[in-house]
Amino acid sequence: MRVLVVEDERRMAAALQRGLQAEGFAVDLAHDGEEGLHAARHGDYDVVVLDIMLPRLSGYNVCKRLRAEENWVPILMLSAKDGEYDMADGLDLGADDYLTKPFSYVVLVARLRALLRRDAGRRPAVLQAGDLSLDPARRRVERDGTAIELTPREFALLEYLLRRRDEVVSKSEILEHVWDTFDTDPNVVEVYVGYLRRKIDVPFGRNALQTVRGAGYRLAGDGG
């Protein structure tokens, strides 16, 4: 899942990025309202975490403009303001949820997952390739009814491949969407593809995760 965090306090933004990445999310940062609005307009995000008190353009106005453009990406607003009218203003402008600072990180992650479940109309609630299934909101993977335990990075990799099943995706594309960087050694992708195969294919005698020599990888839509 791709998350955009719009937060001008850089230490908090970096902490949110690290924490959400540890949960398997791919996270981009923006540090002011104009930058956040541009990113939300042009990035394919599953959810936006949006601070209210931002330089250049407030979170209220970012939310208002996105909704005026019929951009319905789920928005969770963050604010140091805990008044009921502040919360009502955010929700009335089109935010989907509201969390006051300081907040519990566990609660933030739970709220984000709840937003993703509610957004099932825009994206499939469960991603499938044959008898292989992944539920992003519940963080659950199954093959032929058998639960499969994945690390957060393996989960993020499988989710990305399932969203692009039957397509060939390059190592650089995977690095961008799963690792949020081009600087990581591309060989790490090959290593994690191997880890994933040993969990979703080998025990079941399948070949869903295929190497396309010289091009990248493809997840067979029929589950292999």
Side-chain angles (χ1 to χ4, degrees), residues 11-76:
R11 290 179 63 184
M12 174 172 281
L16 285 171
Q17 184 177 45
R18 288 193 301 271
L20 292 173
Q21 285 174 339
E23 295 289 334
F25 295 96
V27 184
D28 291 337
L29 299 180
H31 297 296
D32 64 58
E34 290 284 1
E35 184 185 358
L37 178 61
H38 178 80
R41 280 171 169 165
H42 300 287
D44 184 21
Y45 293 104
D46 298 282
V47 65
V48 175
V49 178
L50 179 64
D51 189 35
I52 289 177
M53 303 299 290
L54 294 169
R56 300 179 68 192
L57 190 68
S58 75
Y60 288 136
N61 283 323
V62 172
C63 182
K64 184 177 180 180
R65 292 190 189 185
L66 288 173
R67 295 312 189 226
E69 296 165 6
E70 298 189 353
N71 183 328
W72 305 114
V73 61
I75 294 174
L76 186 151

Side-chain angles (χ1 to χ4, degrees), residues 138-143 146-152 154-155 158 195-196 198-200 204:
R138 293 180 175 82
R139 312 292 295 173
R140 184 174 178 83
V141 175
E142 292 184 354
R143 166 76 96 170
T146 300
I148 300 172
E149 293 295 325
L150 299 181
T151 66
E154 291 165 351
F155 189 96
L158 179 59
Y195 292 159
L196 203 50
R198 288 194 286 274
K199 292 184 177 182
I200 68 168
F204 303 93

Side-chain angles (χ1 to χ4, degrees), residues 5 15 22 38 52 67-68 85 87 91 95 119 134 137 141 143 147 149-150 155 157-158 178-179 189 197 201 211 220:
V5 174
H38 178 80
I52 289 177
R67 295 312 189 226
Y85 290 106
M87 183 181 298
L91 296 174
D119 196 42
L134 178 148
V141 175
R143 166 76 96 170
E149 293 295 325
L150 299 181
F155 189 96
L157 175 58
L158 179 59
V178 179
W179 272 265
V189 175
R197 279 197 183 111
D201 278 345
T211 299

